[in-house]
Amino acid sequence: MIDAVKHLFGVKTFSHGIHPPDSKDGTRDLPIRQFAFAPLLIVPFSQHIGKPAIPVVGEGAEVTRGQMLAKPDGFMSVAIHAPATGVISRIGLTPAINGKMTPGFFLKPYEASTQEVMEGAVVDPETATPEEILTAIQNAGVVGLGGAGFPTHAKLKVPEGRSIDTLILNGAECEPYLTTDHRVMLEHAEDVMRGIPYLLRATRAERVIIAVESNKRDAAESLRAAIPPGQPITVEVLPVKYPQGAEKMLTSALVGREIPSGGLPLDVGVICTNIGTTAEIGHLLPRGMGLYERVITVGGPAVKKKGNYRIPIGTPLRFILDVVGVEDDITTVVMGGPMMGAAASSLDISITKGSTGVIAFTERETGRVNNQTEYPCIKCGACVDACPIFLNPSSLGLLAEKGRYDEMVDDFHLRDCFECGCCTFVCPSHIPLVQKFRVAKAAVRKAAQVAK
Amino acid sequence: MTQLAKTLTIRSSPHIRANSGVDTIMFNVVLAMLPVCAYAVYVFGMAALLVLVTATLTCVLTEHVLCRINGKPTTIGDWSVTITGILYGLTLPPSLPLWIVIAGGVIAVGVGKYLFGGLGYNTFNPALVGRAVLQAAFPAAMTTWPDAPLNRFGSLPSSTLAIPLTKPVYDGVSGATPLSDWKFNGDAADTSDLFLGTISGSTGETCALLILIGGAYLAARKMMNWQIPAAILVTVAVFSGVLSLIDSDQFAGPSFMLFSGGLMLGAVFMATDMVGSPITHLGSILYGILIGVLVVLIRVWGGMPEGVMYAILIGNAVTPQIDNWIQPRVYGSVKKRPAS
C-alpha cells in the first residue's frame, strides 16, 4: 500500500518486494580485470534455452579465440565461440549446474599464444535491416547476460503486426553481492551507447529507459554523461529493492504498465534487455566478434581475492576458486546471486554465458540458513506482503504440503510465480516456500505430459 | 587445485534469509506485555502476581506435558504458549481462586491450542478459549473484581487460596468495574483514571497507556499488524460516538468505551494473534471493523458489561471465511480468484 502511495508521488517503484542487505561493498569499487586462462576450458553446446548449437569443428581442431565453434540450430538457438586460441582436445559430455551431463567442447588453450581475437563481418546499425541485426546478434552468440539464457535476438524480435514503444535496459542488478552490471555501466558506458542503436533499429522502439538502482548512482552518472546528443535515452534511478530486475517489476516501476498474466512485456509495448547484454552487443557487433567471455563477480564471504573479472566462457569453477583463493570452511558455491542462483554440486562445472556471479559462502552463513528450526505457518502475512506479483504464498504453501497441486495452479496462480524467493527470505517460520512451489510446478508439468 | 575441507552443500535458493524467526517475534510479544504485567502487580499486589505466574506456568507445563505424552519434541521454545499464559492471566480477575486459574489454563492450551493441532492451526485465541470456558463455568468468580486493597503486598484476598470445588468467599474485596458500573448504575468513570488504570478490573486490562506502548513497540518492529487494533479502535470510537450523539444519557461516549474493560488488551494483544486473524491487509481491516462493531453491540445491548472476548472469538471464527473471500489480486490478472 505504501508503495502505491509512493508511485502516486512520482517515486518510480513497484509494490511489495524485499530489502535484503545488498552486500556489494566487497566488489563494487573493484575495476573489471582480465582473468587467467584455465588449462582446460569446458564449453557446453547449449548455454541458452532452446536447441543446443551444432558443432562446426571436430576433435583435434585448432581454433582461434573468438572463432565460431558451433552454429545455431533454429530460431531459439545461438552460436558458440572459442573462448581461447588452442585445440579442441575432446567433444563429449560436460557437467552442468543442474547435475545433468550435456555435450560440449573440451578446449586446451595454447600457453604461448598471444590470444588475439578473431574478428568478422562488421554490422552497421545505420544501414543494416532489423533482420540483419537480429541474425548478427544470433551469430554472435548473444543471450541475456542476466542469467536466464534467453536468446537475445529472439527477445528483440517484434512479431508481425505488433509494435513496441519503450526499450527498458535493466541495470538494476538487484541481487545481493553482484556488481558486474555496475562495473560495466561505470567503465563501459560507451559500449552501452554503441549497443543501443542496434536495439532501437531492430525493435523500432521510440525511446530507451535505463533503470539503475540508487546504490549505483555513479553508474547512472557515467551513463548520463555518455548519452550522445539527441538520443531518446533517459536514465532512471530507482529505489533499491529486490526483485527490481524482474521484467514485470521494471515495467510496472518505469512505465506503470502491468504485464498480463502469462504474457510478455511485448504485450504492453515494452521490451526489457539486460544492460550487460546491451554493452556486449555494442562491443561485439561493430567488430564482427562472437561472445567468448563475460564479466563475472567472484565474491561472497568465502572468497579471498574478490573482484569483477572478465572470465573466458568455459572456465571451471575449481580454477576460479583456485586463483582467487577461498577460506577453508567453504561450504556452498552459488552460480548467480544468492536469491535466485543455483548451488553448484561440483567444481567441475564451468562458467557459461548466463553466469552472473560465483558467490562462495562459509559454514557461518550457510549454517545460519540451514540450521533454522522450521515452525508451522503462523499466517503472519509477511510472504503476502513480500510477493511482488501478489500471490498468497502462505496458502500455496499449505496446499503444497497437502499435495493439492492442481488447486495451486487453478485457484492460486502458481504459474505466475517466477521463483524470486522473497517469500522464503522473509518467512519467520523458515518454511522453504519457493522450493515447495518448484516441486509443485514440476509435478504439474509432469502430469500434463503424462496426460498428453 | 582446490581441495575442499568439506563437501559442497547443495540447497535450494534463496541462500540468504532475513533475521527473523517465529521465536523472536513471540519473545518480543512477551517483552511488550511485561510492563502491563508489572503494573497489574503494582495495582493489585500479590494476588495478581500469583494469578499471572500460575496462569503462565500452567499453560507452559500443559503444552510441555502434552507434547511429551504424544512423543513429540516440546514446543515451548517458540514462546507462543508463554504469550497464551500471560494473556490468559491478564484477562482474569486478580481475586480468582488459583485452582480455577489452573483449570482454565489447562483448557486454554489443551483444548484451545493442542486439540486444534498446535501453533499455526488453532482457530481461536487459546487464552480467550480458556477464559470463555471459565466465564461459563464460574460466572460469579469471573465477574468479581477486588478494589485495590490497601495492604496489597501484605495480604491476599481470601478467595485466592480457596480449596478446589468450594464456593469461595469474596467478602470485603469485591468491587464494580467501570463497565458494570456504567451498565447497571449509569455511572461513567473518569477517562484519565481509565487511561492510567487506577481503577478496578481484570488483572491486565486496566492501564491503556502501557498496553498502547507495548503495541507501538511491536508495530514499530513489524511484529504486529497495527491495522487490526487501529480498525477495532476506530470502529468502536465511531460507532459509540454516533450512539452517544443520539442519546448521551443512555450511551457512553467514545473515550469511555475505548479505555474501559478489556478493549485495549484485546485489540492490541489478542485480536492481533497472527494465527487467528486474516492474512491480507484488507481482510485484517474488515476483521477489525467486525470486532469493533460486535464490542459495542454486546456492551450496549448484551446481557453482560463486557463484550471484547466474544467479539474476538467470533472474529477468529470468521477469519477463514474472510481469507477465502479476500485474496490478493494477482499481478497482471484481471479476474479475481474464483470463490472456492
Side-chain angles (χ1 to χ4, degrees):
Chain A
M1 195 162 67
I2 296 158
D3 292 317
V5 175
K6 275 189 198 158
H7 210 273
L8 277 181
F9 285 96
V11 179
K12 299 227 153 81
T13 186
F14 61 98
S15 295
H16 296 192
I18 58 170
H19 297 93
D22 81 357
S23 307
K24 294 176 193 269
D25 285 343
T27 53
R28 79 167 94 222
D29 296 324
L30 302 176
I32 299 166
R33 283 184 294 163
Q34 183 66 44
F35 209 74
F37 286 97
L40 181 67
L41 298 169
I42 305 170
V43 187
F45 293 171
S46 181
Q47 301 173 39
H48 47 265
I49 63 164
K51 282 192 198 164
I54 304 168
V56 292
V57 296
E59 281 184 10
E62 294 198 339
V63 295
T64 310
R65 189 179 182 200
Q67 179 185 338
M68 193 189 279
L69 298 183
K71 63 177 185 189
D73 182 11
F75 182 65
M76 287 303 284
S77 182
V78 299
I80 304 288
H81 297 80
T85 299
V87 62
I88 304 288
S89 62
R90 191 154 72 85
I91 293 178
L93 291 178
T94 64
I97 183 80
N98 57 12
K100 288 181 187 155
M101 301 295 280
T102 66
F105 301 99
F106 290 77
L107 191 159
K108 276 194 178 138
Y110 290 145
E111 274 175 34
S113 166
T114 56
Q115 295 294 353
E116 262 175 58
V117 185
M118 184 187 259
E119 299 196 4
V122 173
V123 184
D124 182 357
E126 300 296 320
T127 55
T129 66
E131 282 308 319
E132 283 168 353
I133 290 174
L134 294 182
T135 308
I137 291 173
Q138 182 178 22
N139 286 330
V142 179
V143 298
L145 299 184
F150 194 88
T152 300
H153 69 278
K155 188 175 220 180
L156 296 175
K157 166 108 183 144
V158 182
E160 219 42 64
R162 305 283 290 276
S163 70
I164 67 151
D165 54 21
T166 307
L167 190 63
I168 294 178
L169 301 186
N170 177 7
E173 200 164 38
C174 56
E175 274 267 12
Y177 290 102
L178 302 186
T179 52
T180 62
D181 289 344
H182 188 170
R183 293 313 304 183
V184 166
M185 290 186 281
L186 204 57
E187 298 177 40
H188 300 292
E190 66 297 342
D191 275 343
V192 174
M193 296 307 152
R194 264 198 284 274
I196 287 173
Y198 289 101
L199 302 187
L200 282 176
R201 178 97 176 161
T203 60
R204 296 196 174 89
E206 292 154 18
R207 58 169 175 167
V208 178
I209 305 176
I210 306 178
V212 182
E213 283 192 346
S214 62
N215 56 357
K216 313 178 224 338
R217 284 187 190 277
D218 50 349
E221 286 316 310
S222 143
L223 288 171
R224 280 194 184 121
I227 298 174
Q231 288 291 308
I233 304 170
T234 50
V235 179
E236 292 278 2
V237 177
L238 306 173
V240 178
K241 191 152 66 156
Y242 177 88
Q244 189 102 249
E247 291 185 334
K248 287 183 176 180
M249 276 59 258
L250 275 181
T251 308
S252 285
L254 291 169
V255 291
R257 298 177 200 160
E258 230 174 70
I259 299 165
S261 169
L264 294 169
L266 199 68
D267 297 323
V268 293
V270 174
I271 285 179
C272 299
T273 306
N274 172 266
I275 193 91
T277 313
T278 311
E280 278 304 338
I281 290 172
H283 175 73
L284 300 173
L285 262 55
R287 298 176 175 84
M289 295 190 332
L291 187 68
Y292 54 88
E293 61 183 14
R294 65 155 298 156
V295 182
I296 289 166
T297 301
V298 183
V303 170
K304 287 178 178 163
K305 269 193 290 177
K306 301 175 179 54
N308 300 293
Y309 299 103
R310 195 174 286 284
I311 301 184
I313 303 287
T315 305
L317 279 185
R318 190 184 301 280
F319 180 78
I320 295 176
L321 296 180
D322 237 18
V323 170
V324 297
V326 292
E327 304 290 343
D328 289 338
D329 57 343
I330 179 173
T331 52
T332 300
V333 180
V334 176
M335 297 278 276
M339 288 301 298
M340 287 186 80
S345 53
S346 126
L347 294 184
D348 297 321
I349 62 166
S350 53
I351 291 296
T352 62
K353 294 172 184 178
S355 312
T356 49
V358 174
I359 310 297
F361 293 98
T362 67
E363 178 67 39
R364 226 169 71 85
E365 299 83 29
T366 49
R368 197 179 74 78
V369 174
N370 291 331
N371 303 333
Q372 283 172 329
T373 321
E374 189 177 328
Y375 296 102
C377 172
I378 57 166
K379 303 177 185 76
C380 65
C383 55
V384 177
D385 280 348
C387 180
I389 42 171
F390 320 143
L391 296 174
N392 186 339
S394 163
S395 296
L396 282 167
L398 292 169
L399 289 171
E401 214 156 87
K402 295 175 193 145
R404 286 152 69 176
Y405 296 151
D406 289 334
E407 221 169 307
M408 293 168 74
V409 172
D410 298 339
D411 297 340
F412 289 89
H413 300 264
L414 177 66
R415 283 210 183 91
D416 285 302
C417 170
F418 63 89
E419 303 174 16
C420 64
C422 286
C423 50
T424 311
F425 180 86
V426 297
C427 179
S429 289
H430 308 137
I431 301 167
L433 289 164
V434 70
Q435 198 177 343
K436 286 178 192 281
F437 304 159
R438 287 190 191 115
V439 170
K441 278 184 183 173
V444 169
R445 261 198 309 271
K446 203 167 180 190
Q449 275 168 1
V450 170
K452 258 186 211 166
Chain B
M1 284 275 139
T2 305
Q3 292 301 318
L4 297 180
K6 294 193 171 106
T7 47
L8 290 176
T9 347
I10 320 284
R11 53 184 310 287
S12 190
S13 65
H15 303 281
I16 51 172
R17 298 290 173 88
N19 274 322
S20 74
V22 166
D23 48 349
T24 325
I25 296 175
M26 299 290 177
F27 180 70
N28 274 282
V29 176
V30 172
L31 280 186
M33 293 193 297
L34 285 183
V36 182
C37 296
Y39 190 74
V41 173
Y42 168 74
V43 173
F44 297 109
M46 281 303 284
L49 182 66
L50 279 177
V51 165
L52 283 172
V53 170
T54 309
T56 309
L57 282 181
T58 307
C59 288
V60 173
L61 272 177
T62 305
E63 179 147 307
H64 183 73
V65 168
L66 284 173
C67 286
R68 283 298 154 93
I69 287 174
N70 288 288
K72 289 179 184 147
T74 181
T75 48
I76 59 174
D78 62 31
W79 291 94
S80 67
V81 74
T82 313
I83 299 179
T84 298
I86 295 175
L87 269 183
Y88 164 68
L90 288 174
T91 63
L92 301 175
S95 57
L96 195 68
L98 292 183
W99 70 269
I100 298 183
V101 175
I102 293 171
V106 172
I107 291 164
V109 174
V111 178
K113 186 173 178 189
Y114 206 83
L115 273 190
F116 280 91
L119 178 66
Y121 299 98
N122 47 300
T123 310
F124 298 102
N125 186 314
L128 289 179
V129 170
R131 189 189 192 275
V133 170
L134 294 188
Q135 178 91 52
F138 308 99
M142 290 297 288
T143 49
T144 306
W145 292 271
D147 280 325
L150 286 174
N151 189 11
R152 56 190 190 275
F153 289 102
S155 67
L156 283 171
S158 58
S159 53
T160 296
L161 298 174
I163 299 159
L165 305 177
T166 58
K167 194 168 189 258
V169 182
Y170 298 104
D171 209 35
V173 287
S174 76
T177 62
L179 267 173
S180 58
D181 231 12
W182 162 74
K183 188 167 186 84
F184 303 119
N185 307 326
D187 301 329
D190 193 43
T191 307
S192 66
D193 286 345
L194 290 169
F195 190 68
L196 297 172
T198 48
I199 209 149
S200 72
S202 288
T203 312
E205 65 183 35
T206 54
C207 185
L209 178 66
L210 288 175
I211 295 170
L212 287 174
I213 290 174
Y217 165 77
L218 290 177
R221 297 205 59 181
K222 299 196 170 157
M223 291 173 172
M224 188 191 79
N225 182 356
W226 59 269
Q227 285 158 320
I228 293 172
I232 296 175
L233 299 178
V234 167
T235 305
V236 168
V238 169
F239 193 8
S240 61
V242 169
L243 287 179
S244 76
L245 278 183
I246 295 169
D247 183 355
S248 63
D249 290 338
Q250 197 191 340
F251 305 110
S255 61
F256 176 80
M257 276 296 202
L258 283 179
F259 299 117
S260 62
L263 182 61
M264 279 295 155
L265 188 72
V268 172
F269 288 118
M270 294 182 168
T272 52
D273 180 5
M274 289 163 173
V275 181
S277 59
I279 199 161
T280 57
H281 292 294
L282 181 59
S284 298
I285 291 168
L286 284 182
Y287 163 88
I289 293 173
L290 172 73
I291 291 174
V293 167
L294 286 170
V295 166
V296 178
L297 285 180
I298 298 172
R299 280 184 177 182
V300 173
W301 285 287
M304 286 177 313
E306 174 67 291
V308 174
M309 174 176 78
Y310 292 109
I312 294 176
L313 286 172
I314 293 169
N316 289 160
V318 177
T319 290
Q321 197 53 51
I322 295 179
D323 274 340
N324 216 14
W325 285 333
I326 299 178
Q327 286 289 334
R329 186 197 64 89
V330 173
Y331 180 103
S333 68
V334 265
K335 180 167 64 80
K336 283 197 177 177
R337 190 177 80 82
S340 56

